[in-house]
Amino acid sequence: MPRAILHVMRSPVGGLFRHVVDLAREQSARGHRVGIVADASTGGERAAGILTALDAELALGVTRVAMSRDLGPSDWSAGRHVARRLAAMNVDVVHGHGSKGGAYARLVGGDRLKVYTPHGGSLHYSRRTPVGLVYLTLERLLAARTDLFLFESAFGRDAFRAKVCEPKGLVKVVHNGVGPAEFEPVARLDATAAPGAAAMTDLLFIGELRHLKGVDVLIDAIAELRRHGRRLTATLVGAGPDAGLFQDQAERLGLTGSIIWPGALPAREAFARGRLMVVPSRAESLPYVVLEAGAAGLPQIATAVGGIGEIFGPDAGLLIRPGDALALAAAIAASLDDPAAAEASAARLRERIGREFSIAAMTDGVLAAYDEALGRRAV
């Protein structure tokens, strides 16, 4: 039956944002009344354009309100905004995404079905740190107010159980998904492009430029390969708080002319810029960039963290240890030395993603979980 669903999230960036947008659009296309509440101060022009378009598409529209990353005075006004939206739209299901969106949804959700998808969030913290202790304690308190936990990966589910508690609400794992257009071939750039023009490099990284993503490990691996006579080029796509540190590291290691820093780019535009994508993360949930690159058929090397192994399935043994520059350098060299094997692995991954990681399958799983959770409440 048609539902009235409100998705609540904080910052409209990254994989969490993509997940909410795809899910809201597909739920709306299936006849549900859907709305979104998001932070008003982040995301930039790109997010503003997407949310403006969604506001016209979704029956419950899109509203934005200031939400701070950390605990602060704005939480009171943001919580009141969500509560007013829930009441005005006669919402059946309030679905919180990420730590802050999940908190608002569950604190003001009342007797509606309260759903939580962590998307990593607090689960990246450790109780051994003061900040981690605060966030994970709050997660435990909010868990008692949650009817349905939806995890993007089995890894996320297990991390929640280990770091927070055993959930009392219904628990389901529903993987992220990609759409049909993402399986279209990507036209690669010319490696011999004229000076000043974008050219294809040996390696490609796409993501936030911060320590968690392992960019420093990739730079060390490139330097290690150069010490052994292998001079590789790389394009590092993205922006983030540690960009300056990584650029200083590259300069210190003599890699300034070998690494291109184009800033943030759409994923498919970025895919054209490298022969081999590298995902050197120290921690992940279920990263969209791995799904997107896999759907596009781009060979990639990734670390064995989070739910990446769930994406690779039978080929999970190809994943490498996080934080190990020597292992990463060896994997890069092996992949570039045997392009046929790399392409065969990419073809297997593409087929697996097409079969098991679609937006349609993701939406099927989420809606079925809503129905099951609502059925349990009715008993």
Side-chain angles (χ1 to χ4, degrees):
M1 65 179 282
R3 310 270 183 209
I5 305 160
L6 184 67
H7 294 282
V8 185
M9 63 181 176
R10 192 184 69 83
S11 187
V13 298
L16 185 156
F17 183 40
R18 156 139 198 194
H19 174 88
V20 173
V21 170
D22 287 347
L23 182 57
R25 277 196 167 124
E26 184 69 10
Q27 288 175 331
S28 179
R30 298 186 186 194
H32 299 280
R33 297 170 56 243
V34 183
I36 293 175
V37 175
D39 176 40
S41 60
T42 52
E45 292 182 4
R46 178 178 178 275
I50 293 171
L51 290 172
T52 297
L54 274 174
D55 185 46
E57 294 176 34
L58 303 181
L60 303 186
V62 175
T63 59
R64 304 187 70 176
V65 62
M67 299 181 186
S68 63
R69 181 182 182 89
D70 301 313
L71 298 173
S74 67
D75 288 329
W76 172 254
S77 57
R80 289 188 64 190
H81 176 88
V82 173
R84 288 195 296 267
R85 289 276 286 152
L86 291 172
M89 301 298 180
N90 196 25
V91 170
D92 305 312
V93 178
V94 55
H95 189 159
H97 299 264
S99 301
K100 190 58 72 82
Y104 295 141
R106 292 175 289 176
L107 286 171
V108 303
D111 61 356
R112 300 165 185 85
L113 185 75
K114 296 178 286 294
V115 184
Y116 178 41
T117 301
H119 296 277
S122 299
L123 302 183
H124 289 320
Y125 290 95
S126 166
R127 283 190 176 273
R128 293 190 293 271
T129 66
V131 173
L133 180 61
V134 170
Y135 282 131
L136 293 173
T137 298
L138 290 174
E139 287 282 7
R140 182 189 290 268
L141 293 173
L142 288 168
R145 303 173 66 93
T146 311
D147 299 302
L148 170 63
F149 294 85
L150 283 174
F151 295 99
E152 303 162 286
S153 64
F155 167 83
R157 176 200 62 200
D158 296 344
F160 189 94
R161 286 171 169 162
K163 292 186 174 186
V164 181
C165 65
E166 179 65 37
K168 293 184 179 178
L170 181 64
V171 176
K172 294 289 183 180
V173 173
V174 178
H175 291 132
N176 294 331
V178 291
E182 290 164 286
F183 290 86
E184 294 297 321
V186 173
R188 304 295 178 84
L189 295 180
D190 186 351
T192 60
M200 180 185 290
T201 55
D202 298 303
L203 308 177
L204 174 67
F205 167 88
I206 306 172
E208 191 175 7
L209 299 182
R210 61 181 179 131
H211 181 262
L212 187 74
K213 297 298 184 179
V215 181
D216 57 315
V217 183
L218 174 56
I219 294 171
D220 281 341
I222 296 170
E224 172 67 18
L225 289 165
R226 174 169 288 204
R227 282 191 288 270
H228 288 82
R230 188 153 197 165
R231 302 174 71 88
L232 299 180
T233 56
T235 300
L236 275 55
V237 175
D242 297 328
L245 294 176
F246 297 144
Q247 290 166 358
D248 290 345
Q249 177 189 2
E251 182 177 1
R252 187 173 66 251
L253 293 171
L255 300 174
T256 302
S258 300
I259 298 179
I260 300 169
W261 310 83
L265 295 171
R268 286 184 64 83
E269 180 180 338
F271 292 156
R273 299 189 176 212
R275 293 186 182 85
L276 175 66
M277 195 175 84
V278 184
V279 184
S281 300
R282 291 181 167 91
E284 288 287 356
S285 180
L286 194 87
Y288 267 104
V289 71
V290 173
L291 291 172
E292 292 165 343
L298 184 64
Q300 55 185 309
I301 294 171
T303 48
V305 297
I308 294 178
E310 295 169 52
I311 300 173
F312 274 71
D315 281 335
L318 299 174
L319 302 175
I320 62 169
R321 296 183 301 276
D324 189 335
L326 294 180
L328 181 57
I332 289 170
S335 185
L336 293 176
D337 287 341
D338 193 350
E343 291 290 347
S345 175
R348 292 194 299 273
L349 182 60
R350 183 174 183 273
E351 190 276 333
R352 175 175 166 78
I353 291 171
R355 187 177 66 249
E356 300 186 22
F357 294 84
S358 68
I359 292 173
M362 175 182 76
T363 307
D364 287 343
V366 169
L367 291 174
Y370 290 172
D371 288 343
E372 184 175 346
L374 286 164
R376 284 171 52 136
R377 283 166 50 119
V379 174

